[in-house]
Amino acid sequence: MDFINRPTEETAADLLGVKLIHETKDITYTGYIVETEAYIGKHDQAAHSYNGKNTKSVQSLYCEGGTIYAHSMHKQLLINFVMQVEGEPQGVLIRAVEPEDGIEQMAINRNGRTGIELTNGPGKFTQAMNISKSLDGTKLNAGCLKIDTINRKFPKDIDLSARIGVPNKGEWTEKPLRFTVAGHPYISKARKRDSIPCEETWK
């Protein structure tokens, strides 16, 4: 997948259905990405790089596309894929996945939670898949965190909406930069009455 030569929004949509793989010493976790958010760099008021902010905590965002940017928020670990050329700090936040392999261990990692509560949020799936902040600044597919764009799924439909948790950011609060597999039960803040079985959301 090209993380450099196309618009970040386009890649954010194309990541839906891609298989996410985390290999640990004891187990390999996999799941399919069902929700992403695009962050469009220095002029995006909701981005960590807004106005060119470049502190130690966000340096990974300034790396070449395909780098992993991992950061903590409210004691949760969030994983982003960096986009664009080095020095152009754009990224895609992975917000939710449909779990596949390692589900029993995911439930243990999530303190007994099961079903959609396993991975229906950006901090939930990183906890479920035992992903650590040590991945910050490393390259996707070069280590234990990988994506599979061959054995992937394709959404029947994609919904666009405003990003979650970015109030008071001017026009950027309402920009449709959140991409979800339409009707998928594992997307964050999904309403049960709007959800359909997982298999019906894919082509």
Side-chain angles (χ1 to χ4, degrees):
M1 182 170 288
D2 188 349
F3 291 115
I4 297 175
N5 299 302
R6 58 179 180 166
T8 296
E9 301 96 315
E10 185 178 313
T11 307
D14 195 29
L15 279 166
L16 297 178
V18 167
K19 182 185 284 193
L20 185 68
I21 303 164
H22 185 224
E23 299 171 341
T24 71
K25 184 176 69 173
D26 300 316
I27 190 170
T28 295
Y29 302 94
T30 69
Y32 298 92
I33 298 171
V34 298
E35 179 180 3
T36 61
E37 287 180 346
Y39 288 85
I40 318 298
K42 299 174 184 177
H43 61 286
D44 181 347
Q45 293 185 42
H48 289 174
S49 56
Y50 178 57
N51 269 343
K53 178 184 177 182
N54 189 4
T55 61
K56 183 178 180 180
S57 64
V58 302
Q59 282 180 356
S60 297
L61 260 180
Y62 286 80
C63 294
E64 182 182 62
T67 300
I68 297 166
Y69 168 47
H71 66 92
S72 298
M73 182 174 289
H74 307 307
K75 298 183 179 180
Q76 294 183 322
L77 179 69
L78 277 58
I79 291 291
N80 304 255
F81 298 163
V82 177
M83 303 287 150
Q84 308 307 321
V85 297
E86 183 177 354
E88 180 54 55
Q90 300 189 29
V92 172
L93 171 66
I94 310 303
R95 282 201 58 94
V97 303
E98 175 192 312
E100 182 188 47
D101 296 325
I103 289 178
E104 289 185 6
Q105 185 60 45
M106 286 185 193
I108 295 172
N109 297 344
R110 290 278 294 130
N111 301 313
R113 292 178 176 84
T114 59
I116 62 172
E117 281 295 319
L118 273 181
T119 54
N120 66 337
K124 295 177 182 181
F125 91 81
T126 57
Q127 182 183 18
M129 298 178 78
N130 197 25
I131 296 172
S132 76
K133 196 173 182 178
S134 64
L135 294 179
D136 182 52
T138 65
K139 275 282 195 170
L140 192 61
N141 286 358
C144 61
L145 190 65
K146 304 175 182 179
I147 57 171
D148 183 348
T149 59
I150 304 300
N151 301 296
R152 60 167 296 171
K153 298 182 179 184
F154 292 92
K156 285 184 179 178
D157 294 293
I158 294 174
D159 286 337
L160 275 65
S161 59
R163 294 171 294 188
I164 293 175
V166 289
N168 307 314
K169 303 299 182 183
E171 63 178 317
W172 293 93
T173 291
E174 298 301 327
K175 279 188 179 292
L177 293 172
R178 175 178 175 239
F179 303 83
T180 56
V181 177
H184 202 287
Y186 278 86
I187 64 174
S188 55
K189 300 186 182 297
R191 295 182 298 185
K192 285 187 177 180
R193 67 174 183 269
D194 296 331
S195 299
I196 58 179
C198 294
E199 61 271 17
E200 295 180 16
T201 65
W202 307 110
K203 291 181 180 177

